[in-house]
Amino acid sequence: MSTGHHEASWRLPESDPYAHVDLDHYVRLARIAERGTFDSLFLADGPHLWGSIAQRPAGALEPLTLLTALATATEHIGLIATASTSYNSPYNLARKFASLDIISGGRAGWNIVTTAGAEAARNFGLDAEPAHAERYARAAEFLDVALKLWDSWEDDAIVADKAAGVWGDDAKIHPPRHQGTYFSVEGALNVPRSPQGYPLLVQAGSSEDGKAFAARYAEAVITAQQTLRDAQAFYGDLKSRTAQAGRDPEHIKVLPGIVPVIGATEAEARAAEQLLEDHIVYDHGVSRLESLLQLPSGTLELDAQLPADLPPESAIEGAKSRYTLIVELARRERLTVRQLIGRLGGGRGHLTFAGTPEQVADQIETWFTQGAADGFNIMPAVLPSGLETFVEHVVPILRTRGLLRTAYGPRQTLRERYGLPRPANQHTAALV
Amino acid sequence: MSTGHHEASWRLPESDPYAHVDLDHYVRLARIAERGTFDSLFLADGPHLWGSIAQRPAGALEPLTLLTALATATEHIGLIATASTSYNSPYNLARKFASLDIISGGRAGWNIVTTAGAEAARNFGLDAEPAHAERYARAAEFLDVALKLWDSWEDDAIVADKAAGVWGDDAKIHPPRHQGTYFSVEGALNVPRSPQGYPLLVQAGSSEDGKAFAARYAEAVITAQQTLRDAQAFYGDLKSRTAQAGRDPEHIKVLPGIVPVIGATEAEARAAEQLLEDHIVYDHGVSRLESLLQLPSGTLELDAQLPADLPPESAIEGAKSRYTLIVELARRERLTVRQLIGRLGGGRGHLTFAGTPEQVADQIETWFTQGAADGFNIMPAVLPSGLETFVEHVVPILRTRGLLRTAYGPRQTLRERYGLPRPANQHTAALV
């Protein structure tokens, strides 16, 4: 998040170029989001420094750490942290999420990522990125182990009988004793079962492997979609895959990203968008786009379209679905590299939408009512101002239209707010 | 900490048996400690569930997570989290500590442990505990990598020139490119250098390997010492090893643990101690002691002394120095197993001291002025009451005697409070 989802946002006069390491900045954002009765805060992440630091704020506070600090500064909002199944061990990560869920009173969510890219792999003892399919196989086993760990304490394992000197019931502790392909994990977690049982499971991969994984495990899916039709197709596909996996399709929430640029008039909104584009450093954009498309440096020309002979998605080992989205966007709208960078600068593939508060609300209502979204990942181009504008001007319209709560109810877990059931412990017969 | 450092503390009427998973409990403790102008809070930890949960509160919030939550609830106090070099990867852990250091305004400390025991090993894909010497070899390499990562951004790597569109200076980024025995880590950290440069380095092993490690890296050492003479010998040994390692012996602070049980009179203090002993579940204590001494179950008898033919420390792969301390304590005072459990129940090897506030202050002053301690790790038998009593009745005496500050100064980092210099970045010539 830092100064906003537009890569040039840090250059605006209002922006603090050190915001990404300023806790107060994030506390402010979280409180604005609570004023807007948002469901949750979401932090993306990758365990590596991405390329050059020359032309944009780089690095970020580790998301679980930052969200834990925000847990005590907020009361209602969900806290969704990105963490990698490729570069963590299940015991440590399961424990951290259980701890955050306890500390926040049941507001933790985990955005499960497999982490593309050789840069990350080389920070963890590997020479190269593991293959896409292998990353997902490891992710599935990681989830199975994590679920065993989160269920290793039954909800009523603590007895707390002071007189008898009996604190806990060992019969309600279930060590995973897991021996698998990627992990072996013997013992029970050293944290009791948390308010939600385990964090809300969120996922953001939209490749074939990603969608299969989401259908099996995810309760919320964050996705980048450029058109209503694509979003509807994705939504329908994911719901039906979830049903096929034997789950209730209502129990997976589809949340496309949207980058709103809001103005009192259309002209003002367009001017705000233009101001951001004027601050893009295009040289940097070119090398970043080449890296995303896995092209050799120097391939792209700013005022030409993308080369015709790009490889198919199947040849990409990185972020497969994002690759396809970018290539299709460029082809569909016949964008030059410069124009494409302008569009991506706003949200790196998420839908950028410049308009009045009414127009932004219309866009949200259309996608919501026409089977493209159960909710949205609001990614303001500039922060905190873009979030403030959204909360002050778009949120009231959404409330008037009955699309958003007017206030938080009594203290709820993140899962309760999403209308999802608390997961039963696999060692107990009935739902708790 | 939870309900106190005495294992029976949870059974007292005043104690909350769920305190160990209650953020408010820890916030209360932190604020009491700030009222007492303590330097820091310290959380011990191990990544496994230790034995049975039947007879004592088990499990704990993950320390980095808990201390991050406390960072926003406190203003001055240092936050020292235990984390294992055997069961973490340097990139993730270095980033988490840098994030906590940034979020807390330079108050982070890392208690570096190598983690004894097969239970932990089996949660991380190993069949058995790595040998003691190997754990320390890995720890040394871990530290070298972590220091490279923390120094991978020079302090002034961020330029933030909005007009020129230059955010950072790539020449001030230094990827570790580390290829070693246990780790290979290529890239720079994805967090800028933190207020302290890196967290205060704390260590608690008192074996030969542990002391050698401390002399090389540690800025504070937590230790269990039962007698003034042993504590003086340890203190002198560590200071001279530190000097031999080419460091200023003033730059390593020795902090013995003390478990005060305070009463208005000696008789009241002894009664409080007796009340705790009466609540010990001795069956549990026997099996715990057998595990600590690596004896087969059923070896020990409650009303007999320890067997004469225990193995030497060199045969122990677990917590070597703690093993020797316990055996020596039992032999020196000719304790039965029951008596030994009573003594250990208070502080698991740390010095338990029952007395009036004046007597506790005397004890502290003696150790401090006679070359046994630079400070203390205060481990009240019962929490929060024992900490409250210490702050209300012992702290004023220590202040009157000029042994403790009367108020915090302006905002200081944890290292500044310990009187230690901020570490220079290894890539810059001068101290910053």
Side-chain angles (χ1 to χ4, degrees), chain A residues 10-13 15 17-18 20-21 23 45-49 52-66 68-69 72 87-89 91-92 95-96 99-100 102-103 122-125 153 157-158 160-170 173 184-192 281, chain B residues 10-13 15 17-18 20-21 23 45-49 52-66 68-69 72 87-89 91-92 95-96 99-100 102-103 122-125 153 157-158 160-170 173 184-192 281:
Chain A
W10 74 274
R11 295 184 66 192
L12 298 189
S15 292
Y18 297 89
H20 67 318
V21 288
L23 178 63
D45 196 56
H48 60 101
L49 184 64
S52 163
I53 69 163
Q55 282 148 338
R56 62 172 207 299
L61 297 166
E62 192 279 325
L64 270 163
T65 310
L66 175 53
T68 301
T72 57
Y87 306 118
N88 278 292
S89 53
Y91 200 92
N92 287 341
R95 187 173 179 216
K96 281 180 198 294
S99 298
L100 176 58
I102 291 169
I103 281 173
R122 293 194 194 109
N123 291 339
F124 295 88
W153 291 57
I158 302 176
D161 183 342
K162 289 182 181 181
V166 176
W167 186 80
D169 182 352
D170 285 324
I173 297 292
S184 71
V185 177
E186 176 71 17
L189 205 59
N190 53 353
V191 189
V281 180
Chain B
W10 73 273
R11 295 184 66 192
L12 298 188
S15 292
Y18 298 89
H20 66 319
V21 288
L23 177 64
D45 195 56
H48 60 100
L49 184 64
S52 163
I53 70 163
Q55 282 148 340
R56 62 173 207 299
L61 297 167
E62 192 279 323
L64 269 164
T65 311
L66 175 53
T68 301
T72 56
Y87 306 118
N88 278 293
S89 53
Y91 199 92
N92 287 341
R95 186 173 179 216
K96 282 181 200 293
S99 298
L100 175 58
I102 291 169
I103 281 173
R122 293 195 193 107
N123 292 338
F124 295 89
W153 290 57
I158 302 176
D161 183 341
K162 289 182 182 182
V166 176
W167 186 80
D169 181 352
D170 286 325
I173 297 290
S184 71
V185 177
E186 175 71 16
L189 205 59
N190 53 353
V191 189
V281 181

Side-chain angles (χ1 to χ4, degrees), chain A residues 290-291 293-300:
Chain A
E290 285 170 340
S291 149
L293 300 179
Q294 304 191 9
L295 298 171
S297 177
T299 311
L300 297 179

Side-chain angles (χ1 to χ4, degrees), chain A residues 1 26 29-31 33-34 37-43 63 66-68 70-72 74-81 97 100-101 104-111 196 199-200 202 377 405 408 411-418:
Chain A
M1 306 201 294
Y26 289 98
L29 291 176
R31 291 188 175 154
E34 280 203 330
T37 58
F38 279 44
D39 289 324
S40 53
L41 278 175
F42 165 74
L43 294 181
L66 175 53
L67 290 179
T68 301
L70 294 181
T72 57
T74 57
E75 232 185 302
H76 298 284
I77 202 159
L79 306 160
I80 302 176
F97 273 109
L100 176 58
D101 201 47
S104 64
R107 295 189 278 143
W110 173 21
N111 177 39
Q196 295 191 101
L200 181 81
V202 182
N377 186 22
R405 65 180 70 85
Y408 289 116
R411 289 198 76 152
Q412 288 183 311
T413 67
L414 177 54
R415 233 184 228 100
E416 284 166 350
R417 186 152 299 135
Y418 273 70

Side-chain angles (χ1 to χ4, degrees), chain B residues 387-407:
Chain B
L387 187 62
E388 245 158 9
T389 306
F390 188 92
V391 167
E392 276 167 36
H393 299 286
V394 181
V395 160
I397 301 171
L398 296 174
R399 285 177 176 158
T400 304
R401 296 185 190 178
L403 296 168
L404 182 65
R405 67 180 67 86
T406 54

Side-chain angles (χ1 to χ4, degrees), chain B residues 413-429:
Chain B
T413 66
L414 176 54
R415 233 183 228 102
E416 284 167 349
R417 187 153 298 136
Y418 273 70
L420 298 168
R422 182 173 190 264
N425 188 308
Q426 58 193 276
H427 300 289
T428 52

Side-chain angles (χ1 to χ4, degrees), chain A residues 232-288:
Chain A
Q232 287 167 326
F234 179 81
Y235 185 97
D237 183 30
L238 204 59
K239 296 280 178 171
S240 87
R241 283 172 190 255
T242 302
Q244 276 158 34
R247 296 174 56 207
D248 183 343
E250 292 284 306
H251 291 173
I252 188 166
K253 305 299 182 189
V254 179
L255 313 172
I258 176 172
V259 183
V261 180
I262 301 166
T265 63
E266 272 185 62
E268 271 184 32
R270 286 217 197 91
E273 195 174 38
Q274 188 58 51
L275 182 68
L276 284 164
E277 282 184 21
D278 291 345
H279 282 91
I280 290 178
V281 180
Y282 281 93
D283 284 354
H284 171 59
V286 168
S287 61
R288 202 158 149 194

